[in-house]
């Protein structure tokens, strides 16, 4: 058996470590103390057993600090098997258990790259990165029990930049009883102060969101999705006050396990397609814009809840609502100021319900007159 840890220690700073192209059984994490490139072409690293190595953190653990650069090329990482796991079991859900983990504080001048790396198994996260710096993921596929890719930065001044391109995200399991919980899978979990660009990503069956922006740091950054497809999963959850997410030419299709996307805070959607059985939930303050969307839900497109405030502007939407479907609703406690501009609407009028806030319809002759319902009574 090849001693991979010894090979790491024999690799000089900024050198290249080539993993022999065979199958390697891993019983303890391999630590990377300084910058290097790890070439795993043709290699498969397998952690044996049906439980993760929770104390140490998976197969690769990076301890490099500023200003080091660590790059992984190719290869397959296989984690614990999950075939017999109870989807409500919290036992294996230790954040330290990751296929690849880099968590060193204040590493703001570091670079972390993964090129065509495949990571799949019963870890809390497939790949985890925190501490700042630049993270680039190109190609490959990730699947883990909770977060497929975790991006964390809690420094008061945003210091992490992350770029994710052509990554496939799949679920290890379906949510227990058909309901997603906090222990269900998330594609990309991201702190609001991480500057993030995600392009050409495909996601299948993720139980919660492809992008989940969560946390309340002192400062925030922009998160951008371009050409992201969410099949049988929700596209996103935006990150609350101060955060801003933009999605362009993205699609949510099929049946999300958690009911649909959540817009909590500022959000801009440009040319996206909302074609599934999920419903967008709108809450909290913020300016929301849906520009040139295609809206063909199987049930209801969106609903503004009791805590919703701020504004919603829908521009040049192509809207087709099924006979038993619904388009949009605002609850009686909503303070949303909503505007529909130059929209084309096809579907039943009776299923548009506005009980609170304000609604304007401009240059949209096919859209039902607003409000249709006020305080439970027909208007």
């Amino acid at each position: 058996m090849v001693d991979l840890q010894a090979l790491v220690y024999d690799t000089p700073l900024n050198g290249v470590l080539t993993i022999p192209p065979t199958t390697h059984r891993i019983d303890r994490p391999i630590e990377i103390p300084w910058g290097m490139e790890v070439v795993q072409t043709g290699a498969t690293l397998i952690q044996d057993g049906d439980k993760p190595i929770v104390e140490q953190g998976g197969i690769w653990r990076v301890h490099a600090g500023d200003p080091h650069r660590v790059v992984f090329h190719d290869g397959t990482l296989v984690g614990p098997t999950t075939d017999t796991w109870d989807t409500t079991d919290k036992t294996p859900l230790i954040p330290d258990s990751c296929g690849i983990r880099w968590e060193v504080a204040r590493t703001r001048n570091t670079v972390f790259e993964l090129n065509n790396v495949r990571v799949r198994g019963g870890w809390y996260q497939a790949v985890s990165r925190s501490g700042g710096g630049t993270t680039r993921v190109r190609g490959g596929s990730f699947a883990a029990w909770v977060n497929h890719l975790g991006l964390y930065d809690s420094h008061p001044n945003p210091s992490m930049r992350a770029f994710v391109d052509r990554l496939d995200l799949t679920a290890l399991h379906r949510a227990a009883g058909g309901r997603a919980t906090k222990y269900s899978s998330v594609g990309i979990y991201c702190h609001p102060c991480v500057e993030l660009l995600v392009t050409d990503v495909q996601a299948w069956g993720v139980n919660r969101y492809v992008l989940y922006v969560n946390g309340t740091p002192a400062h925030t950054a922009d998160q951008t999705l371009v050409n992201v497809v969410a099949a049988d999963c929700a596209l996103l959850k935006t990150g609350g006050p101060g955060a801003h997410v933009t999605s362009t030419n993205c699609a949510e299709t099929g049946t999300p396990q958690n009911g649909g996307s959540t817009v909590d805070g500022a959000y801009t959607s440009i040319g996206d397609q909302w074609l599934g059985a999920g419903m967008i939930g709108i809450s909290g303050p913020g300016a929301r814009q849906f520009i040139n969307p295609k809206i063909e839900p199987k049930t209801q497109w969106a609903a503004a809840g009791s805590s919703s405030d701020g504004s919603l502007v829908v521009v040049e939407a192509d809207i087709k609502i099924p006979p038993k479907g619904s388009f949009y609703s605002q609850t009686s406690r909503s303070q949303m100021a909503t505007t529909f501009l130059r929209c084309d609407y096809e579907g039943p009028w009776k299923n548009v319900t506005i009980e609170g806030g304000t609604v304007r319809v401009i240059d949209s002759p096919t859209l039902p007159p607003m409000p249709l319902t006020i305080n439970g009574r027909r208007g």
Side-chain angles (χ1 to χ4, degrees):
M1 185 176 73
V2 178
D3 187 343
L4 299 182
Q5 185 65 73
L7 292 181
V8 169
Y9 290 144
D10 288 340
T11 304
L13 175 64
N14 299 325
V16 177
L17 165 62
T18 299
I19 303 299
T22 186
T23 298
H24 303 270
R25 301 284 180 176
I26 308 299
D27 60 3
R28 66 191 63 187
I30 308 163
E31 298 187 355
I32 297 180
W34 49 73
M36 65 180 65
E37 295 194 36
V38 181
V39 179
Q40 303 178 122
T41 306
T44 299
L45 282 65
I46 300 176
Q47 181 199 313
D48 287 329
D50 62 356
K51 293 292 182 183
I53 310 173
V54 295
E55 295 85 1
Q56 297 88 0
I59 289 181
W60 291 105
R61 190 165 189 177
V62 180
H63 289 295
D66 277 349
H68 292 207
R69 175 174 177 262
V70 176
V71 183
F72 289 89
H73 298 282
D74 306 318
T76 300
L77 276 60
V78 180
T81 59
T82 61
D83 295 343
T84 61
W85 286 16
D86 179 354
T87 54
T88 62
D89 182 15
K90 305 174 186 179
T91 303
L93 304 179
I94 307 299
D96 281 0
S97 84
C98 309
I100 305 175
R101 183 186 184 207
W102 186 341
E103 296 192 21
V104 180
R106 302 180 184 274
T107 52
R108 298 170 197 146
N109 299 304
T110 57
V111 176
F112 182 36
E113 296 184 13
L114 298 100
N115 300 310
N116 297 312
V117 178
R118 296 171 296 277
V119 185
R120 182 179 181 85
W123 295 298
Y124 185 93
Q125 302 176 104
V127 176
S128 175
R129 166 71 154 135
S130 68
T134 299
T135 298
R136 298 187 184 95
V137 179
R138 302 184 183 93
S141 61
F142 295 169
W145 193 252
V146 181
N147 302 328
H148 300 353
L149 172 62
L151 301 169
Y152 307 93
D153 184 5
S154 58
H155 187 261
N157 297 308
S159 60
M160 182 186 289
R161 299 160 302 280
F163 307 90
V164 180
D165 180 55
R166 293 172 290 112
L167 179 66
D168 290 343
L169 301 167
T170 58
L172 288 179
H173 64 96
R174 301 305 283 165
R179 298 188 61 187
T181 71
K182 67 178 294 184
Y183 301 104
S184 303
S185 55
V186 170
I188 302 172
Y189 184 96
C190 175
H191 277 172
C193 54
V194 175
E195 183 179 327
L196 173 66
L197 175 61
V198 180
T199 57
D200 297 311
V201 165
Q202 305 281 327
W204 294 275
V206 174
N207 285 315
R208 300 187 75 193
Y209 308 98
V210 178
L211 172 65
Y212 187 179
V213 183
N214 189 39
T216 55
H219 297 272
T220 57
D222 292 336
Q223 295 83 38
T224 302
L225 306 179
V226 180
N227 297 329
V228 174
V229 175
D232 285 333
C233 52
L235 179 64
L236 53 83
K237 181 186 184 301
T238 60
H244 188 268
V245 176
T246 301
S247 60
T248 302
N249 296 329
C250 297
E252 181 178 294
T253 68
T255 304
Q257 290 292 296
N258 67 337
S261 291
T262 299
V263 176
D264 180 11
Y267 173 56
T268 301
S269 167
I270 304 172
D272 294 332
Q273 300 183 55
W274 306 94
L275 310 178
M279 181 184 72
I280 301 173
I282 301 173
S283 62
R288 296 94 172 176
Q289 301 178 79
F290 289 81
I291 302 170
N292 194 30
K294 182 177 182 180
I295 299 172
E296 294 186 12
K298 291 182 172 62
T299 52
Q300 180 170 336
W301 172 61
S306 60
S307 65
S308 59
D309 201 345
S311 62
L312 168 66
V313 178
V314 183
V315 181
E316 296 182 346
D318 181 8
I319 306 164
K320 294 181 180 178
I321 305 299
K324 295 184 178 181
S326 299
F327 173 41
Y328 177 69
S329 64
Q330 287 183 189
T331 67
S332 60
R333 297 177 62 184
S334 173
Q335 300 297 313
M336 288 274 291
T338 299
T339 302
F340 297 100
L341 174 63
R342 297 192 299 274
C343 295
D344 186 20
Y345 182 89
E346 178 182 327
W349 285 21
K350 64 179 182 179
N351 291 327
V352 181
T353 303
I354 308 299
E355 297 182 336
T358 61
V359 176
R360 295 189 303 164
V361 178
I362 303 173
D363 296 334
S364 305
T366 59
L367 197 65
M370 304 286 179
L372 280 187
T373 304
I374 294 183
N375 296 329
R377 295 185 177 183
R378 299 288 294 175

